């Protein structure tokens, strides 16, 4: 068992991240359930959900960057903010071209965002609770590649994109639970 000697900056950051991760878990599960109901076509609800997800990621990254200023540079989080904003616009445009175009944009985003998440998790290892984020980042890279490849399949759907949110949400929940110790300053 390892002991985390948390400085006030780390415990404050861990506490903020813990709350954020719980919210991200809840959002991911609700989003995925809503997306599953509309994954077969690009109706208005699907388009709204597809644009909303990266915009939510932007908001989460802004909160994360603000919370993380005391424990390190949030530069990679700013990269994530920019990439997710570009993705929201890209997905909105891709929706006019069909599901394969959406899957390509979604996949590229998953690859880049996954790499950022993996690197941020590695840099935060000493805080604790980051192994789920590191693993989730790696899985996101692989999932993104599968979305890009799946865009060329016969009859692609958005089901895998909807399913992508569930493990990510679960990893946020695990990380939030593991950050409890650091948040308490133990």
């Amino acid at each position: 068992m390892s002991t985390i000697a948390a400085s006030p900056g780390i415990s404050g950051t861990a506490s903020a991240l813990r709350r954020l991760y719980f919210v991200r878990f809840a959002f991911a599960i609700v989003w995925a359930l809503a997306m599953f109901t509309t994954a077969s076509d690009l109706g208005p609800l699907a388009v709204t959900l597809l644009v909303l997800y990266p915009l939510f990621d932007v908001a989460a990254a802004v909160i994360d960057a603000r919370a993380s200023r005391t424990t390190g540079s949030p530069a990679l989080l700013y990269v994530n903010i920019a990439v997710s904003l570009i993705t929201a616009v890209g997905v909105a445009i891709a929706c006019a071209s069909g599901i394969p175009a959406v899957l390509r944009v979604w996949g590229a985003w998953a690859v880049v965002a996954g790499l950022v998440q993996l690197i941020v998790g590695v840099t935060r290892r000493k805080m604790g609770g980051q192994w789920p984020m590191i693993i989730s980042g790696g899985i996101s890279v692989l999932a993104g590649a599968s979305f890009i490849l799946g865009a060329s399949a016969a009859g692609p759907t958005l089901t895998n994109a909807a399913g992508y949110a569930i493990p990510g949400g679960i990893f946020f929940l695990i990380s939030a639970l593991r950050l409890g110790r650091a948040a308490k300053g133990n």
Side-chain angles (χ1 to χ4, degrees):
M1 180 190 278
S2 66
T3 303
I4 299 169
S7 71
I10 288 177
S11 72
T13 299
S15 181
L17 290 178
R18 188 168 196 253
R19 286 188 305 272
L20 176 62
Y21 290 176
F22 279 128
V23 170
R24 291 195 75 160
F25 161 73
F27 176 82
I29 299 304
V30 170
W31 182 90
L33 293 174
M35 193 65 207
F36 275 126
T37 67
T38 161
S40 60
D41 66 339
L42 281 173
L45 179 59
V47 171
T48 301
L49 289 169
L50 288 165
V51 172
L52 180 63
Y53 198 94
L55 290 177
F56 181 83
D57 195 55
V58 168
V62 167
I63 292 167
D64 191 336
R66 286 182 181 160
S68 300
R69 284 190 182 133
T70 60
T71 57
S73 171
L76 281 173
L77 295 169
Y78 296 139
V79 169
N80 192 55
I81 291 166
V83 168
S84 293
L85 279 171
I86 291 167
T87 299
V89 172
V91 165
I93 293 168
C95 283
S97 297
I99 291 175
V102 171
L103 288 173
R104 286 183 188 98
V105 172
W106 196 266
W109 175 52
V111 168
V112 175
L115 284 172
V116 169
Q117 183 179 17
L118 191 149
I119 294 167
V120 168
V122 167
T123 64
R124 291 179 174 168
R125 275 188 338 268
K126 291 181 182 179
M127 182 185 310
Q130 294 304 301
W131 281 107
M133 295 294 90
I134 293 166
I135 294 166
S136 179
I139 291 171
S140 184
V141 170
L142 297 174
S146 77
F147 298 146
I148 294 167
L149 293 172
S152 300
T157 69
L158 299 168
T159 304
N160 289 343
Y164 163 76
I166 294 172
I170 291 169
F171 280 116
F172 276 114
L173 175 63
I174 294 168
S175 192
L177 295 171
R178 294 196 51 147
L179 278 171
R181 238 180 168 170
K184 292 175 185 169
N186 294 334

